[in-house]
Amino acid sequence: MREIDEIRADIAACDEELMRLLARRMNCIGEVIAYKKEHGLPILQPEQEARQRRMLDEILKGNPYEEEQMEVFGCILKMSKKVQAKALFTHNIALIGFMGAGKSTVSHCLKDMLAMEEVETDAMIVKAEGMAITDIFAKYGEPYFRNCESNAIIELQNRRQVIISCGGGAVMRDENVENLKKGSRIVLLTAAPETILERVKDSDERPILNGHMNVEYIAQLMEKRREKYEKAADIKIVTDNKSVMEICEELIRELIRMEEQ
Ligand code: S3P
């Protein structure tokens, strides 16, 4: 058996080599981003991640530490995504739009794709008030909820590189738009009233639509809000008939284009 000092020296050498390899890998990530930008390739390529995982699965098959090593690989991938997101976006990504436009779904997907932190203004309010949105509306009324929403946005104004999913009515107040603009690129997600109805019809968590679950009402309210949504937005993405991945890819492409201007 080797002496303990010798084993420890070997471990230290492994750590050193691992760190050197990780730094080399990070530099490659930087190069990949630059290459994709220059050649107009999609930033998100989940099939490449799947290919890498398959290749590693193959190499590690039968290895006693297969599970642990795959876990480490998961961390490395997450770190790469973070580096990628940091290189691409210095701002927050604030998602706005009508109920059912896909803000939460897109936010969850972006979170995984870019390993960015995600916050929802509605969730912040529910946590702070200790009750559901519908209960806040019922107990204190809409103006109280809107004040909570403005406070949540103020709380977020000094954050950076976070995905902020805003409640559907958040940008109806100009002060909220001003506060969001301080640190965020604002992305408007849109969908036709028919698509919206399809997406929200089974939800009883949207007090604004209680008793009005129909296309006519949705179309009317959407039209009333349209100007504010469009004025607040830096970027607009139509979500009808698109997969979440397609939406995220378009969103990232548009944001990069904006950063480059
Ligand atoms: C609202 C939208 C909801 C929530 C509240 C009011 C609105 O958020 O903030 O029920 O006025 O459009 P979602 O857009 O996430 O459903």
Side-chain angles (χ1 to χ4, degrees):
M1 186 184 276
R2 291 192 292 174
E3 287 301 322
I4 186 91
D5 286 347
E6 193 188 336
I7 304 170
R8 283 181 177 153
D10 203 2
I11 291 175
C14 287
D15 289 344
E16 200 186 315
E17 199 171 330
L18 279 172
M19 289 307 130
R20 201 174 40 74
L21 286 173
L22 277 179
R24 183 171 143 205
R25 197 180 191 285
M26 286 307 173
N27 285 335
C28 292
I29 300 295
E31 271 185 77
V32 164
I33 298 170
Y35 185 95
K36 284 180 175 174
K37 272 190 179 177
E38 192 173 323
H39 292 82
L41 292 174
I43 294 291
L44 307 178
Q45 289 184 301
E47 67 286 356
Q48 172 59 18
E49 181 177 330
R51 254 198 306 272
Q52 277 170 281
R53 280 189 185 278
R54 272 200 306 275
M55 187 264 289
L56 285 181
D57 270 344
E58 205 49 49
I59 292 174
L60 295 175
K61 211 174 265 165
N63 181 317
Y65 306 113
E66 181 178 349
E67 204 184 314
E68 291 79 4
Q69 282 179 268
M70 280 314 277
E71 202 179 315
V72 171
F73 182 63
C75 290
I76 293 174
L77 276 185
K78 198 167 167 195
M79 198 170 76
S80 300
K81 288 175 186 174
K82 266 196 183 154
V83 167
Q84 181 169 276
K86 272 193 185 153
L88 292 171
F89 312 117
T90 46
H91 293 80
N92 302 314
I93 304 174
L95 302 172
I96 63 164
F98 205 80
M99 292 159 273
K103 301 179 296 284
S104 300
T105 314
V106 169
S107 167
H108 298 336
C109 184
L110 284 176
K111 174 189 175 224
D112 289 340
M113 290 299 166
L114 300 170
M116 274 169 87
E117 196 190 330
E118 171 195 39
V119 285
E120 295 201 2
T121 56
D122 277 1
M124 286 172 74
I125 298 167
V126 168
K127 190 166 174 221
E129 297 297 309
M131 62 174 105
I133 303 285
T134 31
D135 296 334
I136 300 174
F137 268 72
K139 192 162 176 201
Y140 302 119
E142 185 174 345
Y144 179 85
F145 171 80
R146 296 298 171 199
N147 291 338
C148 296
E149 191 164 55
S150 296
N151 289 336
I153 290 171
I154 289 172
E155 228 180 276
L156 292 171
Q157 69 188 359
N158 294 323
R159 302 288 303 273
R160 294 294 177 270
Q161 294 179 318
V162 171
I163 303 160
I164 304 174
S165 181
C166 300
V171 296
M172 296 305 114
R173 279 193 183 175
D174 293 343
E175 59 165 280
N176 293 348
V177 178
E178 273 165 39
N179 287 331
L180 279 173
K181 287 233 183 254
K182 287 180 189 162
S184 310
R185 301 296 192 203
I186 303 185
V187 181
L188 169 63
L189 301 180
T190 72
E194 292 76 10
T195 313
I196 297 284
L197 179 64
E198 202 41 49
R199 291 178 187 165
V200 303
K201 66 180 192 303
D202 298 323
S203 157
D204 55 6
E205 288 167 5
R206 292 181 166 99
I208 299 278
L209 294 179
N210 278 353
H212 305 288
M213 234 2 137
N214 57 73
V215 169
E216 293 70 33
Y217 184 82
I218 291 172
Q220 221 176 60
L221 182 58
M222 204 186 264
E223 192 47 36
K224 232 165 90 182
R225 290 181 168 187
R226 196 168 55 87
E227 201 185 325
K228 294 258 186 196
Y229 281 141
E230 298 205 338
K231 198 160 157 259
D234 294 308
I235 287 164
K236 177 177 158 179
I237 312 270
V238 179
T239 67
D240 302 84
N241 306 316
K242 287 179 191 159
S243 70
V244 190
M245 271 304 290
E246 282 171 330
I247 297 166
C248 291
E249 190 56 61
E250 189 177 333
L251 190 157
I252 289 171
R253 214 173 36 240
E254 290 297 319
L255 277 178
I256 291 172
R257 190 173 301 160
M258 195 181 162
E259 296 293 336
E260 282 171 348
Q261 271 167 12

